[in-house]
């Protein structure tokens, strides 16, 4: 803390010791008498005439003269008054300047501190924000994975009904054929008994009774039918397993045309005979992708096309390559999408189907998967004319 | 008297505050000429080349009470220019009373308002109780023509608890009244802290008279 500029000043604050001795010696020389300048609190010395030097209405010091000459002393005091006035002016200006600097400096420091505090606050806010964003991103990613899985499971659910039928047919005739095979085997056991007896007449009768000529002719084709049926079931199971392999996310080079055909095979049981599927597939370079996810995209789009066609109609699937990007076009001549729905069809949970008929996630998930592959999907549609989906995947180096 | 006279003088600090060029220094110059206390120093000014106050002006006045105590009144002005706010704070510190010198000219209302606001803020910053400090509001430059009428000024400032004085510092009109109004309030404050009446036999009237008219009246007697 500096001294206040408006305090009572003392002689020693106005003049240095050297200045005081200069004043004394020069006044003494000028007046031809010994002159002394003393502080206000000096004791009175006998034999000296003394006169007060005033500053701010009070004596700040005394001028002492040995050989009293009132007039000379008065003149010296008048001169000293001017010196004191100027020294005081300078001293007060210097002190208030110091005070002002302190005030300014304190104000500046306060401002600086406030600034630092606000900076720290913003840093903390930004740190919290970053953490919140990270948490949110994690939540979103977790939910997205859940959504993918839910949509996939819904698709598998759709498939289950069609697949059951598809597997049931071969199973039914395999069952039937085996029942027949069991009765053939009974006939063979009866023949065997007669052979052991070596009774050829009875054997011939039984041979005819059991219609062994037909059995021998029918058995190989029966076994062949069963083998074919079992192969068919095995193929369906393989496709289903391939398609429902949800958790395996592996990037592989995949043939898009082959992928489309696999999905079509899986969907086949759900395609009514009145719907004609036309494939116009050009030779494509392999696409680096997640085959299970890409398969799901095709499944969703084709499933939608099938649903869109009431009665008879056709679905055209075209693939081609334009400017280094694989283009897939799936076009149906179904009922189309209402213009007011068109902007929302890729929004999650948007569905026009009845509750329980659709999750509203199919196209949203398609959109996400295609985006994750760096691709794009566009839709054009006209009610009662049909809907076209155009998908584009850039082929990586 | 048995008790020796007190050694420490009683110092009362009064500050002339207000917007730039409102006539604070002129008030002090007139007071230097018009006041006749027992003791009066020279008016010390510190100004820039264009006569604007740089740090402050100082006029010391004083007298001794009957029992020998020196009472000093130091009159200060602040620099009115906006950029000298730190100086205003330093000068206002430890003030015992304030004369606010406003400019009556039509175009100065905003400057008056801002300066008064600045006074209130700075008083709070340097630890003065603004609601209780002795304060007089002086509307100066009544000698000019493009000024607000007294009615207009009173309609805006009449409701304030402080006395409002109209003045022309250039001619001296209202300068003494402003100072007297301020001393009137200052006495109550100093009497409370220093028992002027009880310990020094100094009434309000004697206090004001000693500062304002002492020698003049003695000369006339």
């Amino acid at each position: 803390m500096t001294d206040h500029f408006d305090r009572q000043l003392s002689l020693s604050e106005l003049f240095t010791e050297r200045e005081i001795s200069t004043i004394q010696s020069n006044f003494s020389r000028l007046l031809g008498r010994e002159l002394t300048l003393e502080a206000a609190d000096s004791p009175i010395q006998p034999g000296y005439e003394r006169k007060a030097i005033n500053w701010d209405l009070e004596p700040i010091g005394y001028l002492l003269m040995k050989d009293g000459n009132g007039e000379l002393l008065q003149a010296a005091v008048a001169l000293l008054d001017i010196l004191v006035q100027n020294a005081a002016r300078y001293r007060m200006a210097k002190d208030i300047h110091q005070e002002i600097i302190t005030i300014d400096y304190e104000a500046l420091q306060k401002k600086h501190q406030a600034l630092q505090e606000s900076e720290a606050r913003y840093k903390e806010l930004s740190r919290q924000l970053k953490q919140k964003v990270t948490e949110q991103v994690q939540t979103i990613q977790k939910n997205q994975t859940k959504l993918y899985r839910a949509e996939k499971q819904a698709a598998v659910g759709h498939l289950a009904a069609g697949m059951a039928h598809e597997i049931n047919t071969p199973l039914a005739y395999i069952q039937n054929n085996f029942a027949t095979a069991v009765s053939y085997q009974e006939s063979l056991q009866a023949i065997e008994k007669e052979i052991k007896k070596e009774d050829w007449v009875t054997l011939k009768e039984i041979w005819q009774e059991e219609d062994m000529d037909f059995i021998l002719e029918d058995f190989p084709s029966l076994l062949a039918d069963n083998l074919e049926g079992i192969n068919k079931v095995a193929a369906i199971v393989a496709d289903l397993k391939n398609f429902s392999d949800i958790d395996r996310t592996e990037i592989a080079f995949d043939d898009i045309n082959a992928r489309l055909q696999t999905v079509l095979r899986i969907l086949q049981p759900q395609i009514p005979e009145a719907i004609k599927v036309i494939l116009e597939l050009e030779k494509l370079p392999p696409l680096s992708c997640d085959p299970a996810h890409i398969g799901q995209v095709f499944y969703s789009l084709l499933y939608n096309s099938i649903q869109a066609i009431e009665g008879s109609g056709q679905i055209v699937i075209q693939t081609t390559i334009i400017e280094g990007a694989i283009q897939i076009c799936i076009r149906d001549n179904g009922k189309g999408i209402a213009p007011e729905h068109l902007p929302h069809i890729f929004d999650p949970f948007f569905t026009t189907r009845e509750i329980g008929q659709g999750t509203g996630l199919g196209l949203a998930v398609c959109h996400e998967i295609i985006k994750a592959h760096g691709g794009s999907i566009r839709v054009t549609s006209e009610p009662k004319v049909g809907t076209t989906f155009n998908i584009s995947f850039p082929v990586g180096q | 008297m048995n008790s020796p006279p007190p050694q420490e003088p009683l110092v009362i600090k009064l500050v002339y505050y207000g917007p730039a060029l409102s006539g604070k220094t002129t008030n002090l110059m007139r007071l230097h000429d018009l006041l006749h206390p027992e003791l009066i120093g020279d008016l010390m000014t510190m100004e820039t080349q264009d006569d604007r106050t740089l740090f402050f002006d100082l006029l010391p006045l004083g007298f001794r009470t009957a029992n020998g105590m020196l009472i000093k009144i130091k009159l200060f002005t602040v620099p009115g220019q906006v950029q000298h706010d730190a100086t205003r704070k330093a000068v206002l510190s430890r003030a015992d009373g304030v004369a606010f010198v406003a400019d009556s000219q039509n175009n100065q209302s905003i400057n008056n308002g801002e300066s008064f606001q600045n006074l209130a803020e700075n008083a709070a910053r340097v630890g003065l109780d603004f609601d209780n400090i002795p304060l007089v509001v002086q509307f100066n430059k009544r000698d000019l023509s493009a000024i607000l009428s007294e009615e207009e000024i009173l309609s805006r400032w009449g409701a304030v608890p402080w006395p409002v004085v109209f003045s022309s510092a250039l001619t001296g009109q209202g300068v003494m009244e402003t100072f007297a109004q301020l001393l009137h309030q200052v006495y109550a404050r100093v009497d409370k802290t220093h028992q002027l009446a009880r310990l020094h036999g100094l009434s309000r009237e004697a206090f004001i008279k000693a500062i304002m008219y002492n020698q003049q009246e003695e000369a006339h007697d």
Side-chain angles (χ1 to χ4, degrees), chain A residues 253-254 256 284-288 320-327 373-375 392-397:
Chain A
F253 282 102
D254 199 35
I256 290 300
L284 299 174
L287 178 69
S288 171
T320 180
I321 181 148
I322 298 170
E323 289 172 3
I326 292 173
Q327 310 289 336
H373 282 80
S392 172
F393 286 116
V395 180
Q397 273 77 39

Side-chain angles (χ1 to χ4, degrees), chain A residues 311-385:
Chain A
S312 64
Q314 65 172 30
I315 298 170
V316 180
I317 304 169
Q318 291 168 312
T319 60
T320 180
I321 181 148
I322 298 170
E323 289 172 3
I326 292 173
Q327 310 289 336
I328 303 135
C329 175
I330 298 173
R331 185 170 67 241
D332 68 64
N333 59 356
K335 62 185 174 191
I337 302 165
E340 66 268 28
H341 293 154
L342 207 53
H344 301 294
I345 62 160
F346 295 118
D347 294 350
F349 305 110
F350 178 82
T351 179
T352 56
R353 293 189 195 132
E354 278 171 40
I355 294 166
Q357 292 298 300
T359 58
L361 285 172
L363 288 176
V365 170
C366 285
H367 189 240
E368 285 305 310
I369 291 172
I370 291 165
K371 242 175 43 186
H373 282 80
S376 64
I377 180 166
R378 277 185 303 112
V379 60
T380 52
S381 185
E382 202 179 316
K384 291 180 185 159
V385 175

